[in-house]
Amino acid sequence: MNDISAYINSALLKIPFNLFNIISEYINLNSNVKVAIVGGYIRDLLIFKIHKKGFFNPIDIDIVTEGSSVDLAKFIKQNISNVELCLIKEFEIYDTVELIINNLKIDIASARKENYEAPGFNPTVEHSSIEEDLKRRDFTINAIAFEFSKQK
């Protein structure tokens, strides 16, 4: 593991509510599932590491899984403790879930490909790998990922 990976891995251990360990346990119980944190959370960790600037206090975390977003969200909710509020909102059309734990918003998406029949239409969605999911994202920063599954 290189210096940046080690830094991100150690920072992920500090995610509130023991989420790193809960997600790691989910992966251990579902050996064919891959899970990654993507987007702004990883960007902010890198900015903090490289520039030593800013106060790093995440208000949202984006997660993508090659498994079921709903199953992962339910597992987190079942295994989380010492929280006042834990809500799950499911969005079936894109196979995504919004999980709110106290004031922390976690968006969980099943890895997907999107095909647009015409501009302005909603896409048709099919499951894919995390790598394929990253290719469809609109900004380069949203395509940054750190895969839990490779940190064992």
Side-chain angles (χ1 to χ4, degrees):
M1 185 179 301
N2 68 36
D3 181 49
I4 295 293
S5 291
Y7 165 75
I8 292 172
N9 200 58
S10 69
L12 293 179
L13 287 169
K14 299 173 190 168
I15 294 175
F17 314 113
N18 199 31
L19 283 174
F20 182 89
N21 290 327
I22 292 170
I23 292 170
S24 296
E25 180 63 22
Y26 179 80
I27 293 166
N28 288 336
L29 293 171
N30 300 277
S31 59
N32 60 337
V33 172
K34 292 181 181 179
V35 179
I37 289 187
V38 296
Y41 185 85
I42 299 300
R43 173 207 58 218
D44 293 347
L45 280 175
L46 292 172
I47 288 170
F48 188 76
K49 165 79 172 154
I50 294 165
H51 298 288
K52 307 288 188 226
K53 292 184 179 178
F55 174 70
F56 190 72
N57 187 21
I59 58 170
D60 74 316
I61 298 173
D62 296 314
I63 297 173
V64 66
T65 179
E66 289 183 5
S68 165
S69 61
V70 173
D71 289 351
L72 177 54
K74 287 179 179 177
F75 185 83
I76 290 169
K77 186 172 182 176
Q78 289 170 352
N79 290 281
I80 205 159
S81 58
N82 299 321
V83 298
E84 294 174 23
L85 175 69
C86 187
L87 297 173
I88 297 176
K89 296 180 189 176
E90 296 179 35
F91 304 95
E92 289 182 34
I93 189 169
Y94 297 110
D95 199 4
T96 63
V97 175
E98 181 180 272
L99 184 62
I100 300 172
I101 305 169
N102 290 350
N103 293 323
L104 179 66
K105 186 177 100 164
I106 302 168
D107 289 317
I108 304 172
S110 292
R112 67 181 187 263
K113 288 184 190 178
E114 295 178 348
N115 296 306
Y116 292 85
E117 195 174 307
F121 280 42
N122 284 333
T124 55
V125 174
E126 64 181 84
H127 288 271
S128 71
S129 66
I130 290 173
E131 291 80 12
E132 285 294 318
D133 184 271
L134 296 175
K135 290 177 187 176
R136 72 166 181 82
R137 293 175 180 262
D138 54 353
F139 294 107
T140 305
I141 210 69
N142 290 338
I144 294 174
F146 191 82
E147 191 176 319
F148 278 91
S149 326
K150 292 187 177 177
Q151 305 314 311
K152 295 179 185 178

